[in-house]
């Protein structure tokens, strides 16, 4: 907040200082606050005088008073007293004129007065000039830099520092402002001259010090001002001007505690003379120190002392509404009205007070003014409002219908075309019209008799312009410009808003709301880098600016330069408002800028939906569509379909079209089951029953005629059975499918007639927003292989909205991928007719010509694109032109020229964007063509590193380089990697179709094996053994290529024959190289030769018949000669191999029989040996048994004899 104005010190400075000695704190205030009368002695009468009462002084011109004073030869002190009276009643100009006349007439001409009187009158004149300069320069009694508006900008009505709609630009300083500035400088110069004259008379005169201090203070030289004020206080004690001056200095250097102390001391010592301005200064200092209640009391006291003190009135008003909340404050309306009454009274008192005008402008910017005498009618989903009577509204006016719905009046182009010139003129000038078009559609139910409010932006503009013209204070002017910018921003006048925002921040660089508004307009202008720079300043100045953090994060993510910093800004915004679903949505939007973050973006969308659901809000169709696209890109096709269906349902609430299904069906035909979002079954109103005499169950009898149904329509009988109408004849209906009732179908088990429904396109495609969803659904059909449904939906889109170019392009791409180049060309012609200069259309047309090798038309198209100078399109056009020249190197006599042109185009791209990997790849191809293989290989490897193998051509080119360097394994690896990459892509890379591309790569792989085999054969010894296997691989890949290509490729066929011939030669030469071979190998070689010979002979015959065969006759003749010779040789080799194998077989048989005989003899000998061994063993066992029998017999005899002996002994 600003300190009190210098004029509060100059008034007291015109009088003598009270006797304040030794700095003692006493009350030196004069209790009688009424100024004395001015008594002018009459020169010719000793006791007579002219008395002028104080209240009369304001009505007396200074010229008349100065003439009277001169005639009566009044003393200098009386002139000083008269000037003081003028100053007391705020007649600064009259006071200055009076003192200037005194200095000129009394001092310069008559040399009157003492030294002290002369010094005093000069100092007083200087102070008067300075007071008038301050008054003229600011237009209000505030300090020259930091007025009340700047001090309290964060607490104004409607939070002017927090809202960020836009505004309007304004020209440079007006003539009035320039004159005021020049006048201001002239007055300061005059003040300086008078102070200089006073100093020459008495350099130690205190009033001169005060004047010098005030002059330095007004010129922002605070140190010098502080020196003079301190000097005055030191030598003269606590005088009021010095105390107030020091308070101003401390406030300017932001030492608010010292400033408050000085103001308090001034008021304590001079409670009356300090006046209202000192209380205003005290209040401002308290405000800066956060002492709001004390500040409010100070402003109230100032207002009591001076009911016309504008600064006090504004201070009271601002602080009254500072903490008001419209929802929670009980006396909000009453308090706000009282505050605005004060502001309005201040404007009446001083209608050129810029600070007051800015507050009023801000108030009316946020105030809704009721439109009296009329009501309006709105319909659900409509953008049209109809008044009960004429309404004075202009395009760009902000209106409110009811208590919640806010929108903007926009130009109704259709209505304007229908009106005649007079009506159009009346509309343009805001004539008495009843019907207007809104920017947003009415989402509630159709209603009549609603109240209408509007924003009085004309009054806002007038007040803001008046404030700007009434002051030269940069901060206050910036506030005015910011208010103007907000008006034009909300009116979508972005260029004017941008100009005004820019001027505002030049005047007040710390006005962050204006800087944020400027960033918004720069984003609208797509000047993203500059906008990001301003947003960084905003978040640096206001760390809690949530919107600035979020917007900056989104811009950084979009640029892709520093994604880590981007998401740190967004995270900061979310941390500030964790429950704000919009910030989470913005984070998702930032994440979806890069394909690798799609999954995270989808997760953030789900998080945002959870927050919205917890807050009772529903997601918009745009959010759901974005989620569907992300699911599509991450191959979650089922989830994508669900999201698109939800998006269509969210959009249905805005659709209020009354058109019938029949009317839509006449425009578009959608019948595919996959497109169920865009058709409905309509009740025909007719019942039908099955014709039991028809065994096929296809015939149905209608109860009455149904004109809406015709052959080809899709119908449903009852709730389950669906089929297609083959024929309808009166009341007989024949369907494509037979009716088979289900056991669970109660209705079908019942023989009573069933209701007949027919399929018709619904009104979903009536809005352009629905077209966007339908296009994404069609793209989903393409990704999931539902080509017919995709084509049907794209055709419906272009039928309903013929200007929707994207569907033409997709239909062209589908036709191209299906091999129907004629249809592709037709769709592209339609797209060109709809959007002649559309770069996407022209690019696709150029690519079509490239795929057909129509170089000249392609060159013409890309030259046309190059002339448009669209950065990305320009780079792509130059790349294609370089490729065209490179592909035409074989043009007779133009090899070097075309190669140089190609290199030039690639270099032009790299000069503008050295990170363009495609152009670098092109430079590599040029170097490879010039046989600089080492450098070419380095470039291709660098392209792979930079692009992460996202450019398959680099792999293909590296394969060619390795092949040229005879590094066949590396070349084969590159070709295989290239083929894997291209198989996963959606479009052909170089030829007319994807199959042709794959066939071409298979040919490269086959040639790599062929060349590798020939290189191996060059050894011409046993080391050439692997060549045969490599020829076999070559033949395998050639056969794959022949199967892949859709048409007969004579080059591939001839290469296959050559590979067979080379493989046969390799087999036949194995004998001389010392490599083993078999009859089967020779037989296979012979078979290959016998298969190849008739094919080449047929090709030669075609050549002789004049057919186009891309192989020379001499080559084919040589092939036939070699093939015939090899066949004869192969036959002899085969006979020899068969003989050798027969002899080897017989020898192996004899050897086998001999081995078997020896083995038999050995077996017989072993058998005889085993027999003899068995006989010997048997004899041994016999003898052992005999001995055992003898022993047993002896034992028995011994036992008998023992028994007998025992018996005898007994």
């Amino acid at each position: 907040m600003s300190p009190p104005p210098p004029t509060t010190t100059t008034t007291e400075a015109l009088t003598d200082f009270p006797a304040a000695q030794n700095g003692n704190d006493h009350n030196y205030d004069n209790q009688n606050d009424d100024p004395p009368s001015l008594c002018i002695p009459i020169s010719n009468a000793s006791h007579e005088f002219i008395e002028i009462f104080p209240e009369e002084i304001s009505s007396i011109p200074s010229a008349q008073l100065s003439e009277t004073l001169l005639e009566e030869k009044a003393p200098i002190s009386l002139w000083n007293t008269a000037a003081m009276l003028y100053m007391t009643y705020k007649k600064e100009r009259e006071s200055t004129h009076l003192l200037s006349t005194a200095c000129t007439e009394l001092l310069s001409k008559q040399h009157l007065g003492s030294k002290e009187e002369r010094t005093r009158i000069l100092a007083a004149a200087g102070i008067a000039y300075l007071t008038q300069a301050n008054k003229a320069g600011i237009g209000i009694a505030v300090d020259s830099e930091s007025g009340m508006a700047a001090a309290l900008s964060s607490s104004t009505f409607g939070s002017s520092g927090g809202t960020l709609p836009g505004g309007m630009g304004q020209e440079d300083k007006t003539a009035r402002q320039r004159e005021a500035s020049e006048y201001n400088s002239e007055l300061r110069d005059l003040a300086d001259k008078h102070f200089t004259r006073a100093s020459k008379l008495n350099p130690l005169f205190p009033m001169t010090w005060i004047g010098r201090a005030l002059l330095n203070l007004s010129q922002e030289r605070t140190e010098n001002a502080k020196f003079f004020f301190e000097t005055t206080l030191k030598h003269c004690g606590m005088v009021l001007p010095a105390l107030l001056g020091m308070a101003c200095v401390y406030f300017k250097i932001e030492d608010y505690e010292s400033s408050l102390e000085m103001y308090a001391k001034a008021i304590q010592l001079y409670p009356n003379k300090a006046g209202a301005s000192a209380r205003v200064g005290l209040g401002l200092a308290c405000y800066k120190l956060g002492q709001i209640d004390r500040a409010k009391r100070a402003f109230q006291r100032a207002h009591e002392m001076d009911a016309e003190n504008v600064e006090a009135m504004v201070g009271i008003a601002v602080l009254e509404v500072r903490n008001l909340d419209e929802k929670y404050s009980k006396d909000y309306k009453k308090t706000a009205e009282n505050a605005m009454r004060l502001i309005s009274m201040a404007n009446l008192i001083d209608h050129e007070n810029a600070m007051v005008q800015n507050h009023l402008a801000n108030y009316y910017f946020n105030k809704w003014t009721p439109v009296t005498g009329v009501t309006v009618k709105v319909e659900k989903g409509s953008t049209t409002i109809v008044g009960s009577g004429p309404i004075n509204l202009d395009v760009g006016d902000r209106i409110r219908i009811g208590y919640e719905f806010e929108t903007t009046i926009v130009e109704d182009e259709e209505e304007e075309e229908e009106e005649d010139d007079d009506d159009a003129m009346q509309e343009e000038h805001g004539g008495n019209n009843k019907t207007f078009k809104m920017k947003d559609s009415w989402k509630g139910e159709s209603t009549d008799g609603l109240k209408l409010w509007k924003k009085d932006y004309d009054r806002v503009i007038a007040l803001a312009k008046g404030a700007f013209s009434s002051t030269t204070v940069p901060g206050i002017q910036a506030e005015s410009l910011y208010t103007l910018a907000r008006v034009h921003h909300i009116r979508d006048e972005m260029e004017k808003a941008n100009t005004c925002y820019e001027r505002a921040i030049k005047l007040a660089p710390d006005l962050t709301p204006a800087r944020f508004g400027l960033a918004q307009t720069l984003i609208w202008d797509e000047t993203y880098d500059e906008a990001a720079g301003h947003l960084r300043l905003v978040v640096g100045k206001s760390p809690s600016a949530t919107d600035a953090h979020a917007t900056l994060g989104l811009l950084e993510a979009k640029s892709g330069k520093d994604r880590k910093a981007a998401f740190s800004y967004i995270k900061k915004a979310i941390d500030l408002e964790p429950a704000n679903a919009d910030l989470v949505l913005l984070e998702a939007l930032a994440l979806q800028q890069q394909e690798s973050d799609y999954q995270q973006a989808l997760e953030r969308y789900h998080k945002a939906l959870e927050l919205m659901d917890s807050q009772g809000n529903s997601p918009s169709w745009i959010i759901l569509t974005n989620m569907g696209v992300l699911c599509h890109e991450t191959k979650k096709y089922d989830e994508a379909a669900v999201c698109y269906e939800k998006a269509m349902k969210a959009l249905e609430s805005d659709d209020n079209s009354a058109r019938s299904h029949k009317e839509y069906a006449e425009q578009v035909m959608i019948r595919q089951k996959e497109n169920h979002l865009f058709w409905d079954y309509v009740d025909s109103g007719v019942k039908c029953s099955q014709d039991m005499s028809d065994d096929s169950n296809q015939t149905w009898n209608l109860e009455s005629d149904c004109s809406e149904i015709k052959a080809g329509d899709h119908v449903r009988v009852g709730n389950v059975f669906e089929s297609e109408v083959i024929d309808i004849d009166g009341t007989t209906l024949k369907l494509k499918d037979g009716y088979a009732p289900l056991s669970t179908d109660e209705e079908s088990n019942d023989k009573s007639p069933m209701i007949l429904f027919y399929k018709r396109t619904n009104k979903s495609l009536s809005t352009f927003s629905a077209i966007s969803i339908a296009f994404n659904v069609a793209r989903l059909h393409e990704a999931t292989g539902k080509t017919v449904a995709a084509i049907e939906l794209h055709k419906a889109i272009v039928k309903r909205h013929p200007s929707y170019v994207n569907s033409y392009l997709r239909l062209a791409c589908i036709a191209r991928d299906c091999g129907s180049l004629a249809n592709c060309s037709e769709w592209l012609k339609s797209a060109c007719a709809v959007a002649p200069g559309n770069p996407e259309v022209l690019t696709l047309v150029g690519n079509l010509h490239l795929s057909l090798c129509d170089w000249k038309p392609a060159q013409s198209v890309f030259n046309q694109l190059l002339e448009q100078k669209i950065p990305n399109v320009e780079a792509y056009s130059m790349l294609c032109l370089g490729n065209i020249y490179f592909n035409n190197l074989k043009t007779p006599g133009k090899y070097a020229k075309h190669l140089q042109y190609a290199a030039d185009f690639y270099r032009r791209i790299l000069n503008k964007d050295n990170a363009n990997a495609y152009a670098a790849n092109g430079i590599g191809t040029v170097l490879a063509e010039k046989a600089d293989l080492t450098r070419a290989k380095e470039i291709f490897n660098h392209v792979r590193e930079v692009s992460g193998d996202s450019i398959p051509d680099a792999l293909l080119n590296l394969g060619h380089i390795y092949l040229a360097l005879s590094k066949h394994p590396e070349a084969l690896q590159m070709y295989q990697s290239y083929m894997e990459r291209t198989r996963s892509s959606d479009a052909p890379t170089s030829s007319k179709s994807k199959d042709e591309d794959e066939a071409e790569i298979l040919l490269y792989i086959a040639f790599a094996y062929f060349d590798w085999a020939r290189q191996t054969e060059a050894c011409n010894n046993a080391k050439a053994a692997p060549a045969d296997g490599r020829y076999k691989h070559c033949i395998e890949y050639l056969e794959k290529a022949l199967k892949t290509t859709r048409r007969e490729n004579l080059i591939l066929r001839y290469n296959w024959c050559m590979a067979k011939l080379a493989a046969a030669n390799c087999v036949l030469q194995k004998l001389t190289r010392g490599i083993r071979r078999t009859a089967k190998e020779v037989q296979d070689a012979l078979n290959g030769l016998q298969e190849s010979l008739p094919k080449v002979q047929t090709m030669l015959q075609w050549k002789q018949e004049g057919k186009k065969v891309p192989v020379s006759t001499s080559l084919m003749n040589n092939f036939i000669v070699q093939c015939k010779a090899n066949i004869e040789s192969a036959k002899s080799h085969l006979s020899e191999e068969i003989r050798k194998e027969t002899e080897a077989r017989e020898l192996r048989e004899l050897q086998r029989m001999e081995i078997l005989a020896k083995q038999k003899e050995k077996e017989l000998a072993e058998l005889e040996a085993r027999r003899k061994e068995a006989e010997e063993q048997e004899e041994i066992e016999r003898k052992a048994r005999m001995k055992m029998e003898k022993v047993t017999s002896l034992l028995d005899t011994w036992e008998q004899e023992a028994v007998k002996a025992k018996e005898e002994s007994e």
Side-chain angles (χ1 to χ4, degrees), residues 144 213-222 225 229 248-249 252:
S144 61
L214 293 174
L215 180 61
N216 283 288
L217 187 63
S218 67
Q219 294 174 341
E220 304 301 322
R221 297 196 289 261
T222 53
F229 285 133
C248 290
V249 170
K252 276 188 170 294

Side-chain angles (χ1 to χ4, degrees), residues 999-1015:
E1000 187 175 356
I1001 305 307
L1002 291 170
L1003 177 60
Y1004 291 150
I1005 295 174
F1007 179 76
Y1009 277 114
F1010 184 84
D1011 189 67
W1012 197 4
R1014 285 194 306 177
Q1015 182 179 340

Side-chain angles (χ1 to χ4, degrees), residues 153-224:
S153 61
S154 61
S155 304
T156 53
F157 299 104
S159 300
S160 69
T163 56
L164 292 165
M168 173 184 81
Q170 190 173 352
E171 297 178 356
D172 292 333
K173 287 184 177 181
T174 60
R176 176 183 172 184
Q177 289 175 311
R178 287 193 295 270
E179 291 175 3
S181 179
E182 294 172 359
Y183 181 55
N184 181 288
S185 298
E186 182 181 350
L187 290 173
R188 293 181 191 277
D189 291 340
L190 288 171
D192 186 46
K193 290 178 180 179
H194 283 79
F195 292 143
T196 302
R197 291 178 62 187
S199 297
K200 289 180 180 180
L201 289 173
N202 185 358
L204 301 179
F205 193 70
M207 280 184 63
T208 309
W209 295 342
I210 292 294
R212 286 289 187 189
L214 293 174
L215 180 61
N216 283 288
L217 187 63
S218 67
Q219 294 174 341
E220 304 301 322
R221 297 196 289 261
T222 53
E223 288 299 323
N224 293 343

Side-chain angles (χ1 to χ4, degrees), residues 519-754:
Q520 288 178 307
T521 58
L522 290 171
I523 292 171
W524 169 84
D525 195 36
E526 298 183 359
T527 314
Y528 300 121
D529 291 340
E530 190 176 348
H534 286 292
L535 288 172
R536 290 189 193 97
L537 294 174
V538 172
V539 298
K541 193 72 177 177
S542 302
S544 60
T546 306
D547 291 342
H549 277 96
T551 309
L552 178 58
L554 182 60
L555 288 182
E556 293 285 4
K558 187 177 181 67
S559 67
K561 295 177 181 178
D562 190 352
R563 291 181 63 79
K564 183 177 180 181
F567 289 105
S568 68
Y569 286 123
I570 297 176
K571 187 177 183 302
K572 172 72 173 178
I574 295 174
D575 290 342
L576 290 169
E577 296 184 30
N580 191 332
D582 291 337
L583 296 177
V584 181
L585 288 173
L586 193 140
E587 183 182 14
L589 189 62
L591 284 166
Q592 73 184 40
Q593 302 297 320
Q594 192 161 325
E595 186 175 356
S596 60
D597 294 330
Y598 281 171
Q599 184 58 43
Q600 294 183 38
L602 197 54
E603 292 173 0
R604 299 310 292 165
Y605 272 119
H606 284 298
K607 176 64 177 177
L609 259 60
E610 291 177 5
L611 288 173
M612 295 176 73
D613 184 61
S614 65
Q615 296 165 5
N617 298 325
S618 300
S620 68
W621 68 269
I622 297 176
I623 296 172
L624 294 168
T625 304
N626 286 346
M627 293 180 67
V629 172
L630 289 174
C631 290
H632 179 176
E633 294 295 334
T634 53
K635 302 188 184 305
K636 298 177 181 178
Y637 299 130
D638 293 338
E639 293 182 25
V642 172
C643 289
Y644 291 142
E645 186 171 358
K646 290 181 178 178
M648 286 300 300
K649 289 179 179 178
L651 195 61
E652 284 178 359
S653 60
D654 293 335
D655 185 12
N656 193 44
S657 177
R659 303 169 79 178
S660 65
H661 287 87
K662 180 178 180 180
E663 189 175 355
Y664 277 98
E666 291 175 355
Q667 294 187 6
V668 293
M669 288 286 288
I670 302 178
R671 296 291 182 268
Q672 292 296 316
K673 183 178 180 181
E674 293 82 0
N675 294 327
H676 64 278
L677 293 176
F678 307 99
W679 54 257
D680 294 321
Y681 274 116
V682 182
D683 187 351
S684 65
V686 177
K687 290 187 176 183
C688 62
S689 57
Q690 192 173 6
D691 188 349
M692 305 307 295
S693 63
D694 183 9
D695 295 335
S696 64
N697 296 328
Q698 294 176 293
T699 305
W700 295 77
N701 296 319
L702 306 180
E703 291 184 349
S704 61
D705 291 342
C706 186
S707 59
E708 289 83 1
I709 300 177
K710 57 184 180 296
D713 280 347
H714 291 237
V715 297
R716 188 184 77 202
V717 178
N719 296 324
V720 178
F721 179 62
E722 299 180 4
S723 186
E724 181 180 346
V725 177
I726 296 177
D727 185 31
I728 182 169
D729 184 11
T731 58
T732 303
L733 179 69
K734 189 169 185 180
L735 303 181
K736 183 178 180 180
D737 305 305
Y739 179 60
L742 301 175
S743 59
T744 57
D745 188 2
E746 297 179 359
E747 186 182 50
S748 48
N749 291 330
D750 187 4
K751 301 302 181 180
S752 60
M754 292 182 285

